[in-house]
Amino acid sequence: MRLLTLLSLLLLLFPTAKADDAEKWEQWYETIADEEEADPESLDDIYELLNNLANHPININTATREELEALPFLSSCQVMDIMEYLNRYGMMKSKNELNAIESLDFYRRKLLSCFITIGEKHVDKSLHLDDVAKYGESDLLAYASVPTFSRKGDSNGYLGYPYKHWLRYSFHYGKRIRFGIVASQDAGEPFMANKNNLGYDYYSPYLVVNDLGPFETLALGHYKVSTGLGLVVNMGFGFGKMSMLQSIGGKSSSIVCAHSSRSEASNMRGAAATLRLASALRLTAFASCRQAEASPNDNGTVATILTSGYHRTPKEMEKKHNTTITDFGVNATFDRNDIHLGATALFTHFDRLLQPDTKALYKQYYPQGHDFLNMSIDYGYRRYPLFVSGETAIDAKGNLATLNALTLSLSRSFNIVLLHRYYSMRYTSIHSYSFSEGGRVQNESGLYAGLEWKPLYGSLVSAYLDYAYFPWPRYQVTQTSSRSIDGFLSSMVKLGKWTVVLRYRIRRHQKNTFDKTITTMLKPLVWQTDQRLRLGTVWDNGLFRVSSQVDAALSRYDDLSRGVMFSEAVGLTLRRITFNVGFKYFLTDDYDSRLYSYESGPLYAFSMPSFSGHGIRYSLLVKWKPADNLTFYAKAGVSDYFDRDVIGSDLQQISASSACTLEFQTRWRF
């Protein structure tokens, strides 16, 4: 009764308003994205791209093929259909015209509407400093995470205090100019002390200018570059296999963009430029010199390049900026009508010798030496109903890596994707990241078949089957080759205000036997089988949003491990304030049956945590917008375990069964 009374008062104090599409992209993205498969390090990059597009949407009437192909949720068929619609019928007058594009399913149509605007076709290419100063927009974010608990390292081990905080400033002048800086500090890192005597542990300044004279793109400071399908260089983000089903068919391009995330790895520092030499020909060149951290060997060589970015302990701080990486690269692309051709060359130099510990057989072919050279050609053909893309790369010793995909659209509502990859166990590359099961562009070959089917309006069925073969030993496979099989089936249905999602996944991969009595060097392999099932419903009327979800896991290796999780989330959107309440109950036998679940948070601070053991997780997120250009966020999240007295281990250990974290954020746009 008290809850109903409080809710009634809130409705009186804050008149209700339906959430704008631009504010709902997170919800639509959460619905169609395969979060469990997404690379954790790329989540911030994915969010950065989509949030930037939501704040500065694309004018659909002037959009280029490259701009639309940069949207990770659009397939080549969908991009082609959008361009064809504009060529045939002229400018769009309303976002409702997206309904006329048959290949766009309900979910991607809603998602796309969050990132586009309807504008006139005329574009003024001139750049005037007066206009930049008058019409440019600044965005300042400040974030702090305050734990209400103490970790073991806070009192003995960490150099800094237990608070995490960061600042982000960015300036935009449409799509023409973007510059800013990110300053970030992880919990436990020193501030204004030790090697961080300039304040924050990490800074990322950047400047990107588009359409400046002969330059299509000019980037200075920290930036990212991706070419082809990522076999030579890919510092963008990577989705899981279901998202690849959408994004890879026919899409192969060169991208230079700002590095404005808090990730300290996967970026370059220096300058990059893209010149449009002709209407169909572009040339991109880039140079970088950045400091990284590495685990050193006793002889001063480098054993491993580290990417965590943590500098909390004296040992971690000693490794900060102890290695310099220099890169020079060039890419040329030719795009005309249905044909895409590209070529990339990248030279990388380490000032210290890379010398991994090859006593572990699976590291035998890890990159070794000072200098690395990679070259590739990428290619694509786009004409309905066939879309083809691929890239073939070699290293300095002639070792090969190739990835080729074919998308066949049997109709606007039924697509099939076939993909083959072969990555030699001897192929070495420093900055590659592409489609794989093993996580590396090395020591893998495989076949992938996927399909997407839209049987009815508001429905989407997706499935894939992936087989991978690893000819050389890898982690947890000591002495021999191994295999893996991955299958996935997903169905989403929109029924009025309801959305229903059903997903099933089974993964089987070979590992060393769990029988510790076998001491021979050549250990037999056994299969580990992991199964995941999810049933979720969402009811959304623009004011209330109620999400219910059941997840189940079954894992078999040495023993049978089972897990289940029940999740509930309720959102209330008022005119100036939004509430999101989340609750999860989880019960798993051990870590093998862990379960994942999305949790909303302040901007750039959402998470995809895993849950194992027995406990509950509950959170409250409040968003208050007292003015159009000012927003405050506050979140409290609590994890409460019933099966343990301590949480975590080593310096991260919390001597309690419950942990609560408070998060605060302020955003000022001016």
Side-chain angles (χ1 to χ4, degrees):
M1 191 67 185
R2 292 179 179 177
L3 180 59
L4 290 175
T5 303
L6 177 60
L7 182 58
S8 300
L9 288 173
L10 285 171
L11 292 174
L12 290 173
L13 289 172
F14 303 98
T16 61
K18 288 193 175 183
D20 187 85
D21 273 350
E23 298 176 351
K24 294 186 65 176
W25 68 265
E26 266 193 77
Q27 298 172 5
W28 292 112
Y29 175 68
E30 176 190 350
T31 302
I32 71 166
D34 187 20
E35 302 98 342
E36 185 174 333
E37 181 67 11
D39 178 7
E41 293 185 4
S42 69
L43 287 175
D44 196 34
D45 294 324
I46 298 169
Y47 191 89
E48 165 69 19
L49 169 67
L50 297 182
N51 188 65
N52 179 53
L53 285 172
N55 292 326
H56 303 86
I58 298 170
N59 180 357
I60 191 68
N61 290 322
T62 61
T64 63
R65 182 192 294 269
E66 290 79 11
E67 288 178 317
L68 293 176
E69 286 188 339
L71 295 171
F73 52 84
L74 290 182
S75 68
S76 284
C77 177
Q78 292 163 345
V79 171
M80 187 190 72
D81 285 350
I82 294 171
M83 302 300 294
E84 183 179 334
Y85 181 91
L86 293 170
N87 290 333
R88 179 176 298 181
Y89 300 107
M91 294 191 303
M92 289 188 183
K93 304 299 183 184
S94 166
K95 293 181 182 180
N96 291 331
E97 291 190 54
L98 293 175
N99 292 314
I101 300 175
E102 189 178 349
S103 61
L104 283 175
D105 58 79
F106 175 84
Y107 307 99
R108 287 176 179 84
R109 188 178 298 121
K110 281 291 185 180
L111 190 55
L112 179 59
S113 67
C114 300
F115 303 119
I116 65 170
T117 185
I118 306 297
E120 295 297 324
K121 254 190 170 179
H122 174 70
V123 178
D124 183 7
K125 290 289 186 178
S126 59
L127 187 62
H128 305 287
L129 293 181
D130 291 343
D131 290 339
V132 174
K134 184 177 180 180
Y135 299 110
E137 299 179 356
S138 291
D139 196 341
L140 178 63
L141 283 91
Y143 170 89
S145 174
V146 181
T148 62
F149 50 83
S150 296
R151 300 180 181 89
K152 184 178 179 181
D154 294 335
S155 57
N156 184 18
Y158 291 153
L159 297 171
Y161 44 74
Y163 312 114
K164 175 181 179 179
H165 56 93
W166 46 260
L167 295 172
R168 304 174 68 107
Y169 169 77
S170 64
F171 175 90
H172 291 263
Y173 176 65
K175 296 187 300 180
R176 303 294 302 279
I177 298 178
R178 182 186 179 196
F179 67 82
I181 187 170
V182 178
S184 177
Q185 191 84 10
D186 289 311
E189 294 178 337
F191 184 74
M192 297 291 292
N194 208 290
K195 289 186 178 181
N196 297 340
N197 54 5
L198 295 179
Y200 282 90
D201 179 73
Y202 173 70
Y203 291 95
S204 179
Y206 59 88
L207 167 65
V208 175
V209 181
N210 295 313
D211 296 325
L212 180 65
F215 295 102
E216 182 176 286
T217 302
L218 178 64
L220 300 173
H222 287 222
Y223 63 92
K224 290 178 175 289
V225 59
S226 301
T227 67
L229 296 179
L231 300 189
V232 171
V233 55
N234 178 13
M235 294 182 170
F237 51 84
F239 279 110
K241 293 178 180 177
M242 276 310 302
S243 298
M244 278 293 199
L245 180 62
Q246 274 295 315
S247 64
I248 199 169
K251 296 169 71 171
S252 178
S253 59
S254 172
I255 299 173
V256 174
C257 61
H259 175 67
S260 55
S261 75
R262 292 176 288 111
S263 171
E264 298 188 29
S266 298
N267 68 90
M268 292 192 175
R269 186 180 67 180
T274 298
L275 292 90
R276 187 174 289 278
L277 303 179
S279 60
L281 184 62
R282 294 188 302 164
L283 179 68
T284 299
F286 53 94
S288 167
C289 182
R290 73 177 185 91
Q291 294 177 307
E293 40 261 20
S295 295
N297 295 312
D298 293 337
N299 60 2
T301 60
V302 169
T304 306
I305 298 296
L306 304 174
T307 60
S308 68
Y310 289 131
H311 308 114
R312 302 163 298 183
T313 65
K315 285 187 177 181
E316 289 177 347
M317 186 60 76
E318 286 176 5
K319 299 171 185 176
K320 183 176 181 178
H321 297 168
N322 64 354
T323 301
T324 300
I325 305 175
T326 304
D327 295 283
F328 297 98
V330 63
N331 169 265
T333 59
F334 174 85
D335 279 281
R336 173 168 290 176
N337 299 327
D338 307 322
I339 303 297
H340 166 85
L341 293 173
T344 302
L346 174 66
F347 173 76
T348 301
H349 172 76
F350 287 81
D351 68 333
R352 300 169 66 187
L353 182 68
L354 273 181
Q355 195 174 74
D357 181 11
T358 55
K359 292 179 182 178
L361 199 57
Y362 72 93
K363 295 183 180 181
Q364 183 74 42
Y365 296 110
Y366 275 24
Q368 302 179 43
H370 279 288
D371 300 319
F372 301 88
L373 176 65
N374 295 87
M375 296 180 291
S376 76
I377 57 171
D378 59 276
Y379 31 85
Y381 174 79
R382 300 167 294 219
R383 175 170 289 184
Y384 186 84
L386 186 65
F387 304 86
V388 177
S389 63
E391 184 176 15
T392 299
I394 59 171
D395 61 16
K397 296 181 180 179
N399 299 305
L400 182 72
T402 183
L403 171 67
N404 298 278
L406 179 151
T407 300
L408 180 63
S409 294
L410 300 181
S411 71
R412 298 294 181 181
S413 61
F414 194 92
N415 299 319
I416 295 176
V417 173
L418 301 176
L419 181 146
H420 171 264
R421 74 269 193 193
Y422 169 77
Y423 307 146
S424 169
M425 62 187 180
R426 294 179 173 84
Y427 178 76
T428 57
S429 56
I430 303 300
H431 299 301
S432 62
Y433 178 70
S434 191
F435 187 99
S436 71
E437 169 67 22
R440 301 172 62 89
V441 182
Q442 187 182 49
N443 186 35
E444 179 176 331
S445 60
L447 291 170
Y448 169 97
L451 66 85
E452 280 206 339
W453 179 38
K454 299 180 280 290
L456 298 170
Y457 178 78
S459 64
L460 178 64
V461 177
S462 306
Y464 71 73
L465 182 65
D466 183 52
Y467 169 82
Y469 172 69
F470 312 97
W472 189 253
R474 61 189 190 120
Y475 181 65
Q476 295 185 330
V477 179
T478 308
Q479 294 287 332
T480 186
S481 60
S482 61
R483 295 168 172 80
S484 75
I485 301 173
D486 184 5
F488 184 90
L489 176 63
S490 172
S491 176
M492 290 191 289
V493 180
K494 174 73 173 175
L495 301 170
K497 295 180 175 62
W498 287 92
T499 302
V500 181
V501 179
L502 178 64
R503 289 179 177 175
Y504 172 74
R505 185 175 190 180
I506 180 170
R507 303 181 74 176
R508 303 192 71 218
H509 59 280
Q510 291 179 308
K511 297 171 58 176
N512 289 333
T513 179
F514 51 82
D515 188 350
K516 297 182 179 179
T517 62
I518 299 178
T519 58
T520 60
M521 289 294 293
L522 187 60
K523 295 184 178 181
L525 299 181
V526 297
W527 287 92
Q528 176 171 334
T529 302
D530 298 312
Q531 299 181 72
R532 299 284 190 271
L533 179 67
R534 170 177 295 178
L535 174 61
T537 62
V538 177
W539 184 84
D540 189 350
N541 70 347
L543 170 62
F544 286 103
R545 186 175 192 267
V546 181
S547 173
S548 304
Q549 186 171 291
V550 180
D551 289 273
L554 191 67
S555 178
R556 183 182 293 275
Y557 176 47
D558 52 345
D559 292 313
L560 185 64
S561 178
R562 292 160 293 192
V564 65
M565 179 168 62
F566 302 93
S567 305
E568 195 74 24
V570 179
L572 172 63
T573 301
L574 305 174
R575 189 174 298 278
R576 290 290 184 181
I577 194 166
T578 301
F579 299 93
N580 285 285
V581 180
F583 176 84
K584 309 179 195 301
Y585 170 81
F586 53 93
L587 176 62
T588 77
D589 290 336
D590 51 38
Y591 184 73
D592 285 342
S593 54
R594 64 193 178 278
L595 291 158
Y596 298 82
S597 183
Y598 175 89
E599 184 171 299
S600 59
L603 295 174
Y604 305 99
F606 69 97
S607 59
M608 187 63 59
S610 63
F611 299 92
S612 61
H614 186 200
I616 58 175
R617 168 75 181 178
Y618 47 98
S619 62
L620 171 64
L621 173 66
V622 179
K623 173 186 173 183
W624 178 40
K625 200 170 183 178
D628 291 341
N629 64 339
L630 187 63
T631 309
F632 296 101
Y633 296 83
K635 179 184 177 181
V638 181
S639 297
D640 198 350
Y641 291 89
F642 306 142
D643 60 346
R644 65 196 69 176
D645 296 324
V646 297
I647 302 173
S649 60
D650 298 326
L651 296 180
Q652 288 287 94
Q653 180 176 301
I654 303 168
S655 299
S657 61
S658 180
C660 174
T661 301
L662 304 177
E663 298 176 73
F664 304 95
Q665 186 181 81
T666 301
R667 183 183 192 184
W668 180 30
R669 303 179 69 180
F670 55 96

